[in-house]
Amino acid sequence: MTDHSDNTANTSNPYTTDFSTRSDLFFEAFFELHRGLPRQSPGSDATTRHLLSLCGPLPVRPRVLDLGCGPGAAALLLAAEAGSRGAEVTAVDLNDGFLDELRTAAAARGLAGRVHAVKADMGALPHQDGSFDLVWAEGSAYNIGFATALARWKRLLAPGGTLVLSECEWTVPEPSTGVRAFWDPHYALRSTARNLAAVQAAGYQVLAVHRQPDSDWAAYYGPLGERAARAPEPSGPEAAAALGFVREEVAVRERHGHEYGYTAYVLRPVTAGDGGAWPVRPENAADAAALHALNSAAFGTPAEADLVDALRADVSWLPGLSYVAEGPDGSVAAHALLTRCEVDGAPALALAPVAAGPAVQRSGAGSAVVRALLAAAAGRGEKLVLVLGHPAYYARFGFAPASHFGIRAPFDVPDEAMMALVLDDSAPVPTGTIKYPAPFGV
């Protein structure tokens, strides 16, 4: 919602002309225009409740961190409704006025003992690792940048913890010159695909993605726009600049609101394959026969085993990207393979097959070898992995439907089964049709 102090601002704030050059008088006038409003970013109780429902089961009284809490609309709802007995909420902001509003509202609702308003910088939080079951940031991650928020806030989550954050994004492929004139100088909006790539590259699995409705914007800009329209013209230049900026912000939304919007992400750190119970390593020449037998047994047919042998002789084979997990006796217990494929000519990796011996299935051997293989690919600078498989299984490693990135299979397949994982989001994800190596026969 907000995380700005009264006299300091981050230059990535999308609601500024250039806050870094403004005086205290500008900020006093700017925050006075926002004082007492129910929200400091687009949102609603309905959206907060919906996002909470997407988090899955929570502890009886979860520990919640609300970052950029503003006057506390989300913090108050979470304190009352998260978990079966409400939550213990630490609500963080840099604005003293908003924190005072939150304390007053919490006391009025009988929540003073469960809502703890804290003045702190969301980019340099003092809390210990693993302190929270739920980290919440509606409309505030932009203060430090979406990718920075993903990286810095992960450590705060307890095992099984969830991160909910929202980001303003382009909602059209080619935003107009007029809307870019407002946004580009202040905060570089990206598409959902680019932000989803950042989520995956940061090591999260995606529980849900939710585009906030236009009514959330009306709940924010309606009261703010009315106040700005009724406000008398200020006498000082800094106060006039603050009022002018708020009016411009509202007007841009009225003219170009169909071109951008807030999207909320419900995330959990990837943990599949953690634990180290299964030793993993790249395959070696002596493994070929064992791998053929393993894949034949795992799939009940020699087809996948024959595919591995054919890929090993193909130009798509990448030495060092065929991994095995070893059993206690040193035998090959599980196998995963990545080979070179393409998406409209751009290089990518195909994950197939993944196999665990019948005796060790559901033991974690397959997860361990997949996780190690993906880490090896990332370490080599690979950017994109594609897999056709069970959505629930591969989502645990961070995979999401490939269609989110504009990637499609060269054959008919359920949308949720063709999945993609971005390992490096430094460049846009390629779009188009997958071209598999010849041994796949497609």
Side-chain angles (χ1 to χ4, degrees):
M1 289 182 178
T2 179
D3 190 54
H4 307 300
S5 69
D6 288 326
N7 54 16
T8 306
N10 188 299
T11 56
S12 68
N13 177 5
Y15 301 148
T16 71
T17 49
D18 185 355
F19 273 14
S20 64
T21 65
R22 291 300 185 183
S23 70
D24 290 353
L25 292 175
F26 176 92
F27 291 110
E28 289 174 7
F30 181 82
F31 284 112
E32 189 59 35
L33 285 166
H34 290 74
R35 196 84 63 207
L37 296 179
R39 293 187 172 272
Q40 298 302 320
S41 71
S44 63
D45 285 353
T47 289
T48 300
R49 287 192 178 97
H50 180 63
L51 296 176
L52 184 59
S53 75
L54 298 173
C55 294
L58 293 170
V60 172
R61 178 158 286 179
R63 300 163 297 166
V64 177
L65 178 64
D66 184 8
L67 294 169
C69 64
L76 294 167
L77 188 150
L78 294 169
E81 300 183 18
S84 58
R85 294 174 53 196
E88 293 285 339
V89 178
T90 300
V92 170
D93 207 285
L94 281 173
N95 187 285
D96 290 310
F98 294 141
L99 293 173
D100 287 341
E101 288 182 42
L102 173 55
R103 293 185 185 102
T104 300
R109 298 188 190 192
L111 296 171
R114 283 196 270 137
V115 176
H116 314 285
V118 176
K119 184 174 183 178
D121 182 350
M122 67 166 65
L125 293 162
H127 307 94
Q128 296 295 313
D129 293 0
S131 295
F132 299 98
D133 304 299
L134 180 60
V135 174
W136 199 273
E138 282 190 62
S140 62
Y142 69 81
N143 281 281
I144 60 174
F146 189 69
T148 300
L150 293 170
R152 293 187 184 178
W153 296 345
K154 184 192 286 188
R155 69 169 186 85
L156 300 168
L157 292 167
T162 302
L163 171 62
V164 176
L165 75 170
S166 60
E167 178 74 341
C168 198
E169 301 176 340
W170 296 126
T171 56
V172 293
E174 297 294 335
S176 66
T177 301
V179 73
R180 281 194 174 278
F182 177 78
W183 282 100
D184 286 355
H186 316 305
Y187 191 73
L189 299 192
R190 305 194 299 184
S191 66
T192 300
R194 288 300 303 272
N195 285 327
L196 186 58
V199 164
Q200 292 182 324
Y204 290 89
Q205 66 178 106
V206 181
L207 304 185
V209 178
H210 173 67
R211 176 66 53 78
Q212 293 182 222
D214 288 342
S215 57
D216 281 4
W217 289 84
Y220 171 47
Y221 279 144
L224 179 61
E226 290 177 9
R227 180 174 291 182
R230 295 196 310 266
E233 293 302 321
S235 56
E238 291 296 277
L243 178 59
F245 176 76
V246 169
R247 287 173 174 171
E248 179 190 13
E249 179 186 351
V250 174
V252 168
R253 180 64 192 179
E254 290 175 350
R255 294 195 302 270
H256 300 285
H258 63 287
E259 298 184 71
Y260 61 95
Y262 261 102
T263 299
Y265 295 84
V266 183
L267 312 173
R268 190 168 293 154
V270 170
T271 59
D274 283 355
W278 293 89
V280 294
R281 60 171 174 80
E283 75 159 71
N284 57 49
D287 294 323
L291 286 174
H292 194 280
L294 171 74
N295 279 286
S296 295
F299 291 98
T301 169
E304 298 292 330
D306 292 343
L307 173 63
V308 173
D309 292 342
L311 287 168
R312 195 178 285 116
D314 189 69
V315 294
S316 62
W317 183 265
L318 300 170
L321 290 184
S322 177
Y323 261 58
V324 300
E326 294 182 337
D329 60 354
S331 63
V332 174
H335 175 232
L337 173 63
L338 288 168
T339 50
R340 177 67 68 210
C341 67
E342 296 180 353
V343 177
D344 263 13
L349 297 174
L351 174 59
V354 174
V360 300
Q361 289 177 2
R362 300 185 182 278
S363 68
S367 293
V369 75
V370 170
R371 188 76 181 277
L373 181 60
L374 293 173
R380 291 168 56 137
E382 296 288 345
K383 295 183 175 357
L384 177 65
V385 179
L386 302 162
V387 66
L388 176 62
H390 196 288
Y393 181 80
Y394 287 102
R396 297 160 55 246
F397 303 95
F399 283 90
S403 60
H404 289 355
F405 303 102
I407 298 171
R408 56 190 175 274
F411 42 78
D412 290 336
V413 61
D415 180 73
E416 66 274 12
M418 188 74 249
M419 308 184 78
L421 174 67
V422 176
L423 302 176
D424 178 352
D425 68 329
S426 60
V429 179
T431 63
T433 302
I434 304 166
K435 181 181 179 181
Y436 283 95
F440 280 90
V442 295

